[in-house]
Amino acid sequence: MTEPRPTAADDPAPGSVSTGEVARRLGVAPTTLRSWEQRYGIGPADRAAGRHRRWSEPDIALVRRMCALTADGVPPAEAARMALGERGHPAPAPTP
C-alpha cells in the first residue's frame, strides 16, 4: 500500500514559517506565542492542514512589535491592543 501524495492544500503557504521558527527568530517561547494568540488575537492568519500555525512576514512583524512593547514594560494586554491598533485590527475581548 502506498502513502497518499500530499496535495497543494497540504503544503504550507510560500514564505510562511512554523511557530517554532518564529519563536527562535524572536527569542520567545512557543507557548508564549500560542498564549498570545489565544488571549489577545496576536497570531498567524493561516493554518496548514492539521491546524498547524503558519506565520507570514506581516504576522511575524506584529509579534515583533508585541515583543518590543512588552520589553519596554508595557503589560501584554495593553501591548496587544497597541500592536493590533497600529495595524488597524480591533483587539479581541480578553479571555478569562
Side-chain angles (χ1 to χ4, degrees), residues 8-95:
D10 295 328
D11 293 337
S16 67
V17 296
S18 69
T19 297
E21 177 62 23
V22 173
R24 282 187 289 282
R25 285 185 189 184
L26 301 180
V28 176
T31 54
T32 298
L33 295 175
R34 291 181 193 107
S35 174
W36 286 354
E37 180 182 11
Q38 181 181 18
R39 292 179 183 179
Y40 313 121
I42 302 287
D46 186 33
R47 287 192 185 260
R51 297 189 39 88
H52 294 282
R53 294 165 181 87
R54 301 303 299 181
W55 298 75
S56 67
E57 288 305 318
D59 297 331
I60 296 168
L62 182 63
V63 175
R64 185 175 285 115
R65 180 67 177 136
M66 175 89 173
C67 290
L69 290 165
T70 57
D72 286 343
V74 177
E78 181 61 24
R81 280 191 292 276
M82 292 169 68
L84 288 166
E86 291 169 2
R87 291 214 21 213
H89 297 288
T95 58

